């Protein structure tokens, strides 16, 4: 994994743009997909990065909110011209955002953060809880070799399989599942109340997936080095995923959802405790510029 202090993760590569809303569509309960036209950011952003979004000409709320890339939007020639981001209506910012229609102005700056490292493995396992599914459509398409992202475009050998373990409170909150299925992903669903899929935790699905994939499972054996887990969602779920990955000796990266104020590393409001692999101690790292993607085993949960 690239060193998180690489200068390319800092805000000097970010752009600030005034954009207009192209679509603001409901895709699940309290969950919306926002599409904006911004070719400059769309050409640069990679899976796992995010943008800061602020309602234009509005000082309440004054600060922007970090929202992960859901996917880029291509024109008829295949050029990236916009981005999709997905948000859950929760709090003042998103409650106001949901009321905006096509043509409404927004201010966004990005791309920000380090993004996921290229998934150079045979089998990519994505684990999401709640709104944590948002970084994964782009990552899955890149992993399969269906799309390229970034400037210059990231290129690597495609994976042979992607499994998506996705959990939500109830079936109403499972967002855009047909889209994931249409990409050729092995989608495994769980709900806390049993209203759809497995009745229980999404980490139950992860345990089953690893039992099948690793030696001694029901399917063709794979070595841990051929697997990678990526995870996003509530912190307790990510901590549990990190523990499962550690027990199975499978690399795992997590996308932290630490609250941010500036998104560019100035305010230090989004720090998280990260172990120093050489010294064995830990220090605070800023999620916005040294993350949001971290090696799960380096996080002090």
């Amino acid at each position: 994994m690239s060193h998180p202090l690489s200068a390319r993760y800092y805000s000097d590569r970010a752009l600030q743009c005034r954009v207009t809303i192209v679509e603001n569509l409901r895709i699940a309960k309290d969950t919306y997909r926002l599409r904006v036209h911004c070719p400059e950011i769309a050409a640069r952003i990679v899976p796992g990065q995010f943008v800061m979004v602020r309602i234009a000409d509005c000082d309440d709320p004054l600060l922007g909110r970090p929202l992960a890339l859901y996917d880029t939007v291509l024109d008829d020639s295949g050029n990236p011209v916009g981005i999709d981001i997905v948000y859950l209506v929760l709090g003042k910012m998103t409650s106001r955002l949901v009321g905006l229609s096509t043509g409404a102005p927004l201010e966004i700056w990005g791309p920000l953060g380090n993004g996921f490292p290229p998934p150079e493995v045979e089998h990519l396992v994505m684990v999401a809880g709640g709104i944590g599914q948002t970084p994964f459509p782009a990552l899955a398409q890149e992993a399969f070799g269906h799309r390229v992202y970034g400037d210059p475009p990231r290129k690597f050998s495609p994976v042979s399989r992607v499994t998506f373990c996705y959990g939500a409170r109830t079936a109403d909150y499972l967002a855009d599942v047909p889209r994931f299925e249409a990409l050729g992903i092995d989608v495994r669903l769980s709900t806390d109340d049993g209203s759809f899929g497995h009745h229980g935790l999404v980490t139950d699905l992860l345990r089953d997936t690893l039992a099948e994939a690793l030696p001694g499972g029901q399917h063709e054996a794979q070595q841990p080095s051929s697997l990678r887990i990526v995870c996003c969602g509530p912190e307790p779920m990510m901590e549990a995923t990190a523990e499962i990955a550690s027990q199975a000796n499978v690399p795992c990266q997590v996308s932290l959802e630490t609250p941010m104020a500036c998104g560019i590393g100035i305010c230090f409001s989004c720090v998280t405790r990260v172990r120093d692999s050489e010294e064995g101690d830990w220090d605070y790292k800023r999620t916005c510029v040294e993350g949001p993607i971290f090696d799960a085993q380096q996080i002090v949960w």
Side-chain angles (χ1 to χ4, degrees), residues 76-201:
D76 292 339
S77 299
N79 300 311
V81 294
I83 61 171
D84 284 345
I85 48 184
V86 168
Y87 64 94
L88 179 69
V89 180
L90 183 68
K92 182 180 291 186
M93 169 67 175
T94 51
S95 295
R96 294 194 171 185
L97 192 60
V98 74
L100 300 180
S101 56
T102 300
L106 296 173
E107 294 176 0
I108 68 173
W109 53 101
L112 299 168
N114 55 0
F116 287 106
E120 297 177 306
V121 291
E122 297 176 13
H123 186 180
L124 179 67
V125 180
M126 308 185 303
V127 183
I131 197 66
Q133 89 283 5
T134 53
F136 293 143
L139 181 63
Q141 290 187 92
E142 184 183 50
F144 276 135
H146 297 163
R147 293 276 297 276
V148 294
Y149 298 85
D151 181 22
R154 307 200 308 177
K155 296 182 180 180
F156 49 87
S157 300
V159 303
S160 57
R161 183 182 179 189
V162 175
T163 300
F164 181 36
C165 302
Y166 179 21
R169 285 179 280 171
T170 71
D172 291 342
Y173 284 98
L174 292 169
D176 234 3
V177 172
R179 176 183 184 136
F180 287 97
E181 294 173 333
L183 295 174
I185 297 169
D186 173 17
V187 178
R188 305 183 179 196
L189 305 174
S190 70
T191 50
D192 294 346
D193 65 353
S195 55
F196 195 87
H198 170 70
H199 185 183
L201 302 176

Side-chain angles (χ1 to χ4, degrees), residues 28 53 63 65 80 85 113 137 156 165 206 229 262 273 278:
V53 179
L63 301 175
R65 297 293 186 270
I85 48 184
F156 49 87
C165 302
L206 174 61
I229 298 169
C262 72
R273 295 187 298 172
E278 295 182 358

Side-chain angles (χ1 to χ4, degrees), residues 5 20 27 39 42 53 112 127 139 166 170 175 212 229 231 253 260 267 274:
L5 297 183
T20 56
I27 60 173
V53 179
L112 299 168
V127 183
L139 181 63
Y166 179 21
T170 71
E212 295 171 5
I229 298 169
C231 179
Q253 283 92 39
M260 300 178 190
C267 68
V274 178

